[in-house]
Amino acid sequence: QDMRDGLQSAISNKSLFLCYQPIISAKNGNAVAFEALLRWRFSDKLVPPTVFIPLAEQSGLIKEIGSWVLHRACIDASQWQDHCDASVSVNVSVMQLLDDTFINDLDKALLTSGLAPDKLHLEITESMFADNKKKVVEQLDAIKQRGVEVSIDDFGTGYSSLSQLQNLSFDTIKIDRTFVANIKQGGEAIIRATIFIASEFGCRIVAEGVETEEDAALLRELGVEYLQGYLYSKPVEKEFLPPWFGDGI
Ligand code: G
Ligand code: G
Ligand code: MN
Ligand code: NA
């Protein structure tokens, strides 16, 4: 309850902030995008998003918080466009996506920031298709109409079947970090299969949770084009991002 009250005033008292983690081209090491990851400072501690995002969803605050994230991320990205072409990748929860105000909010964020729509990627999880498939597809169509890109996050961990994913236009598949973590214990087969699916669907592939040079070398050999993980950088506030010069994707 205490935490819920805190979250209620988190936007106005500026205790929410975004960190960014680079997504790197396996070819040349440039940053092609930065994933925005939300952080909340509550009574001098950082509450993990795995705790406060569900809380925000239960209380309906996710609308307001999600809208803040979208606007902040678009403004930050439009500022780094001055020296770097990298896109920004924003996580969107299912409740947020399905809300009637979402598309309107998206338009506002693009308009006020001046960010080119193709520099914005929205990350959704495949488990979103479990219920409400029709409404999810409608929203994704509206997003795509605006030229904004869609990534499937945590691929392979959700409950969707491949048949649910067909006919959906998405641009990027993100291989979940659990498969990278056990790449030597069966993960490799899943990664190979995912790369095949991505090429059939004509979309890009990002591997998450790349922690060692060995992981990176293996993934590169398998044909993964984009890499993300602690090897390159932890999520950090934008002031602390190393000055990668992105080509953009
Ligand atoms: O950032 P990690 O550092 O702890 O993120 C944990 C989880 O929280 C991830 O699944 C991530 O997708 C989710 N998350 C982080 N930031 C956001 C956000 O802005 N919105 C939503 N909906 N989820 C987020
Ligand atoms: O679900 P999503 O993919 O949005 O979550 C991203 C989460 O993964 C964040 O919590 C982020 O801090 C974390 N993360 C990013 N890179 C690494 C990594 O190399 N190793 C581990 N263990 N976690 C990572
Ligand atoms: Mn993500
Ligand atoms: Na993920």
Side-chain angles (χ1 to χ4, degrees), residues 92-98 123-133 136 140 159-160 164:
V92 175
S93 72
V94 65
M95 254 184 120
Q96 196 188 344
L97 181 77
L98 293 180
E123 296 194 12
I124 62 169
T125 60
E126 51 170 321
S127 50
M128 275 191 197
F129 303 107
D131 326 293
N132 278 311
K133 167 132 201 240
V136 170
L140 292 186
Y159 301 100
S160 71
Q164 279 179 303

Side-chain angles (χ1 to χ4, degrees), residues 5-224:
D5 291 344
L7 200 53
Q8 184 103 49
S9 44
I11 293 178
S12 56
N13 68 23
K14 299 189 161 63
S15 55
L16 288 172
F17 61 100
L18 289 180
C19 283
Y20 290 96
Q21 188 180 37
I23 299 171
I24 298 289
S25 160
K27 243 186 269 154
N28 58 22
N30 283 347
V32 292
F34 295 97
E35 179 175 358
L37 293 156
L38 186 58
R39 298 291 179 258
W40 180 36
R41 198 174 283 114
F42 177 58
S43 23
D44 288 332
K45 283 198 202 73
L46 279 180
V47 184
T50 46
V51 172
F52 73 80
I53 296 282
L55 197 65
E57 289 189 321
Q58 285 157 27
S59 58
L61 283 169
I62 191 71
K63 262 205 254 182
E64 204 187 329
I65 291 175
S67 169
W68 180 84
V69 169
L70 200 56
H71 280 79
R72 186 71 254 161
C74 287
I75 290 167
D76 288 346
S78 83
Q79 288 173 352
W80 75 56
Q81 295 305 305
D82 292 343
H83 56 92
C84 152
D85 286 337
S87 306
V88 67
S89 202
V90 177
N91 291 284
V92 175
S93 72
V94 65
M95 254 184 120
Q96 196 188 344
L97 181 77
L98 293 180
D99 194 85
D100 290 328
T101 61
F102 182 76
I103 298 296
N104 198 4
D105 241 22
L106 178 64
D107 286 336
K108 258 198 241 157
L110 290 169
L111 193 70
T112 55
S113 66
L115 184 69
D118 65 342
K119 294 292 173 184
L120 175 62
H121 301 184
L122 299 179
E123 296 194 12
I124 62 169
T125 60
E126 51 170 321
S127 50
M128 275 191 197
F129 303 107
D131 326 293
N132 278 311
K133 167 132 201 240
K134 190 158 168 272
K135 179 77 180 168
V136 170
V137 170
E138 272 172 30
Q139 294 293 75
L140 292 186
D141 285 344
I143 290 166
K144 297 291 303 176
Q145 258 174 35
R146 284 152 175 83
V148 171
E149 297 203 352
V150 175
S151 305
I152 305 281
D153 202 4
D154 306 335
F155 188 81
T157 64
Y159 301 100
S160 71
S161 63
L162 289 178
S163 68
Q164 279 179 303
L165 292 181
Q166 80 183 353
N167 306 325
L168 288 177
S169 47
F170 47 88
D171 305 278
T172 301
I173 290 179
K174 299 189 78 176
I175 298 176
D176 192 69
R177 65 181 147 91
T178 53
F179 302 119
V180 174
N182 66 18
I183 194 163
K184 296 246 183 70
Q185 298 89 37
E188 181 179 329
I190 292 170
I191 293 169
R192 282 185 192 279
T194 307
I195 292 169
F196 179 73
I197 290 165
S199 72
E200 291 292 299
F201 285 164
C203 56
R204 290 185 291 260
I205 191 118
V206 176
E208 305 184 290
V210 181
E211 295 184 351
T212 64
E213 290 290 357
E214 198 187 1
D215 292 342
L218 260 168
L219 290 162
R220 224 181 258 119
E221 244 170 73
L222 291 174
V224 177

